[in-house]
Amino acid sequence: MAAAPHETPTTDLAGQGMPEADPAGDETLAAGVAAGIERLIGLLRWLSPPSGLSLTATATLATLERSGPARLTALAASEGVTQPAMTQLIARLEEAGLVTRATDPADGRAVEVRITAEGQALLARRRVYRAERLARMLAELSPEEQVALAAALPAMDALTSAHRGVPLTSAQPS
């Protein structure tokens, strides 16, 4: 297998030639990954059931489910929204019975948000719905494409975990 001009050939564990990106190709890779993520977000929206929840609301519930109770400030930072926007979102989620707010046991002045059993059930239903729709789409892909998607999962997990440690600059486009 020939490497692209900005790649150096290497060997994977199975002895297959695989390209290894070098720093000169980082911007091209970043642009390609960003464009792919944008397309995936569109697919995620299409796969999701019409529940009236925004992606930010769903992501906030998933964060609370995965990480446990959190303060509003931490949730706002985690989801990349302002604290007033998160306060409004949590109020709507609380009104819908998907989260509860209580005094933080470690600091009586702060509020801690928790996902409710109803919120967890909603996330579970959404995941089942999306998985069923996605399974039908995956069945239309070639075995090679399915293997490539499965092989990409660890890198996708690493990327989603890594973003927590990357500070955003003030020169972000709006």
Side-chain angles (χ1 to χ4, degrees), residues 35 46 48 50 60 68 83-84 86 99 105 112 128 132 141 164 170-171:
W46 181 82
S48 297
T60 300
Q83 187 169 347
M86 183 56 68
V99 300
E112 190 176 71
V128 167
E132 288 171 351
L141 299 179
R164 302 278 186 225
S170 59

Side-chain angles (χ1 to χ4, degrees), residues 2-171:
H6 67 281
E7 298 172 336
T8 307
T10 188
T11 303
D12 69 6
L13 294 175
Q16 302 294 316
M18 291 180 50
E20 180 181 294
D22 68 34
D26 285 352
E27 285 185 27
T28 302
L29 175 62
V33 170
I37 289 171
E38 287 175 355
R39 291 188 304 273
L40 285 173
I41 290 169
L43 176 61
L44 181 65
R45 284 188 173 124
W46 181 82
L47 289 170
S48 297
S51 66
L53 287 183
S54 67
L55 286 181
T56 302
T58 305
T60 300
L61 288 173
T63 296
L64 289 168
E65 182 182 55
R66 184 177 51 256
S67 302
R71 290 183 179 190
L72 283 168
T73 52
L75 283 173
S78 170
E79 303 308 322
V81 299
T82 64
Q83 187 169 347
M86 183 56 68
T87 300
Q88 291 176 355
L89 173 62
I90 293 301
R92 289 191 305 272
L93 293 174
E94 184 177 34
E95 186 176 303
L98 303 175
V99 300
T100 59
R101 286 192 266 194
T103 303
D104 185 338
D107 181 354
R109 300 167 296 170
V111 172
E112 190 176 71
V113 180
R114 295 175 183 268
I115 189 169
T116 64
E118 188 176 340
Q120 291 173 325
L122 175 74
L123 286 178
R125 286 191 305 273
R126 289 175 63 87
R127 288 177 182 134
V128 167
Y129 182 89
R130 282 193 318 254
E132 288 171 351
R133 293 185 80 186
L134 189 55
R136 290 191 296 273
M137 293 176 69
L138 290 171
E140 300 294 320
L141 299 179
S142 71
E144 294 80 15
E145 290 167 326
Q146 292 178 22
V147 167
L149 283 171
L153 292 175
M156 290 168 44
D157 285 342
L159 184 61
T160 58
S161 296
H163 92 279
R164 302 278 186 225
V166 178
L168 299 175
T169 65
S170 59

